[in-house]
Amino acid sequence: MRIGELAARSDVSVRALRYYEEQGLLEANRSDSGQRHYPESAAARVQLIQMLYAAGLSSRTIAELLPCVDARVSTPESRARLAVERDRIDAQIAALTRTRDRLDAVIAFSGSPGSGCTYIADRDVAAQASHSVMP
Amino acid sequence: MRIGELAARSDVSVRALRYYEEQGLLEANRSDSGQRHYPESAAARVQLIQMLYAAGLSSRTIAELLPCVDARVSTPESRARLAVERDRIDAQIAALTRTRDRLDAVIAFSGSPGSGCTYIADRDVAAQASHSVMP
DNA sequence: CTAAAACCTGACGTTGACGTCAGAGGCAAG
DNA sequence: CTTGCCTCTGACGTCAACGTCAGGTTTTAG
């Protein structure tokens, strides 16, 4: 399939796919005229790339991990590399969980009866500030 | 306390604190000479800001949420706003969990006996890696 | 009192993952 | 053939959260 179709299937932009290639994350077969041509499997690959980007990994890190995932290259070093990133993601999940619980606590408190503050009475500072931040 | 001490306590840069003020996230009392002075509570505030940044929220979004969290301002709208961000974080946790499990699977597979690839036998594996993505 | 350290306000620089535009070529349909 | 969409390669633009530098004032240590 050509780049436009892969973009549509993967729900990423054509520009992003070319960028992935530039970063060494995604390769393409070229037709005689130079157009990129991808196998079906490319869609899964792009999805994986997106997952890793969403986990906060950089292009460079992804480029280092992908050969391990996809060609099953396994050395002690590559497994360690994968584990490092796995642990980073674990830590990130833990931090996000704390943040979510913090927000939950605030929501529960502010929504509880007797919190005594369903309306802004004291200060117009808050409302004023949140509007004045916008240009 | 002055900005340098707050920075040290919160483990963020002085520049970052000034940026937070610029974005309306953190206010400071000024001395006659114009130097910023913060109360003890500022450290907790900065930590909260960091948590929210780490959760992927923008300055603008944080500026909208902070009055709710910290002044206990509660309207149906503000609670809804908090809930929206909480749900976003939940979704992010779910996505990260899937990514982590995916990496775990790769690690388990590449490390398992009989994977037939405990160490690299051929240095040129990368060159022939053109197909076969994960199941 | 003096020198170092900390602080101030601009203002320009950085980085990553793209967006966007320009100009040129390619491909199936009518 | 030619119309219209798709694709190509540069190359500059963007945006957020700061980093960094310049040039000047303030606070603190000795």
Side-chain angles (χ1 to χ4, degrees):
Chain A
M1 85 188 85
R2 292 191 302 172
I3 199 171
E5 192 181 341
L6 178 58
R9 284 202 204 181
S10 314
D11 197 39
V12 302
S13 70
V14 166
R15 178 68 175 92
L17 294 179
R18 289 200 270 249
Y19 177 74
Y20 296 165
E21 182 173 333
E22 199 179 310
Q23 300 300 306
L25 309 182
L26 183 63
E27 50 181 273
N29 306 314
R30 296 305 188 107
S31 72
D32 289 354
S33 60
Q35 298 203 343
R36 293 170 180 85
H37 228 253
Y38 301 91
E40 295 294 321
S41 61
R45 175 94 172 210
V46 172
Q47 276 194 19
L48 177 57
I49 293 172
Q50 293 278 99
M51 285 183 75
L52 295 175
Y53 270 128
L57 307 196
S58 68
S59 292
R60 203 169 66 80
T61 304
I62 296 177
E64 288 168 19
L65 294 188
L66 275 181
C68 312
V69 174
D70 143 294
R72 272 82 149 120
V73 171
S74 179
T75 67
E77 293 76 25
S78 73
R79 256 172 286 134
R81 193 85 179 79
L82 287 167
V84 164
E85 298 306 328
R86 193 268 315 272
D87 291 348
R88 191 204 305 295
I89 292 173
D90 260 351
Q92 207 172 333
I93 290 173
L96 283 175
T97 301
R98 286 193 298 274
T99 304
R100 185 201 53 191
D101 291 347
R102 178 91 182 248
L103 286 185
D104 271 340
V106 173
I107 292 170
F109 177 82
S110 71
S112 69
S115 78
C117 188
T118 26
Y119 220 82
I120 303 177
D122 270 2
R123 299 190 147 184
D124 57 333
V125 180
Q128 186 89 2
S130 64
H131 276 296
S132 68
V133 166
M134 290 292 290
Chain B
M1 84 186 87
R2 293 190 302 171
I3 198 170
E5 191 180 341
L6 178 57
R9 284 202 204 181
S10 314
D11 197 40
V12 303
S13 71
V14 167
R15 177 69 174 92
L17 294 178
R18 289 200 270 250
Y19 177 76
Y20 297 165
E21 182 173 335
E22 200 180 308
Q23 300 299 306
L25 309 181
L26 182 64
E27 51 182 272
N29 306 314
R30 297 304 187 109
S31 72
D32 289 355
S33 60
Q35 296 204 345
R36 293 170 179 86
H37 280 91
Y38 302 91
E40 296 294 321
S41 61
R45 174 93 172 209
V46 172
Q47 276 194 21
L48 177 56
I49 292 173
Q50 293 277 100
M51 285 182 75
L52 296 175
Y53 270 128
L57 307 196
S58 68
S59 293
R60 202 169 66 82
T61 304
I62 297 176
E64 288 167 19
L65 294 187
L66 274 182
C68 313
V69 174
D70 132 302
R72 269 72 157 134
V73 171
S74 179
T75 66
E77 292 75 24
S78 74
R79 257 170 286 134
R81 192 84 178 79
L82 287 167
V84 163
E85 298 305 329
R86 193 267 316 273
D87 291 348
R88 191 203 307 293
I89 293 173
D90 260 351
Q92 207 172 332
I93 290 172
L96 283 175
T97 302
R98 285 193 300 272
T99 304
R100 185 201 54 190
D101 291 348
R102 178 91 182 247
L103 286 184
D104 271 340
V106 172
I107 292 170
F109 178 80
S110 70
S112 70
S115 75
C117 191
T118 324
Y119 55 88
I120 286 188
D122 179 5
R123 264 192 182 282
D124 210 24
V125 178
Q128 63 186 32
S130 63
H131 33 125
S132 102
V133 178
M134 285 291 289

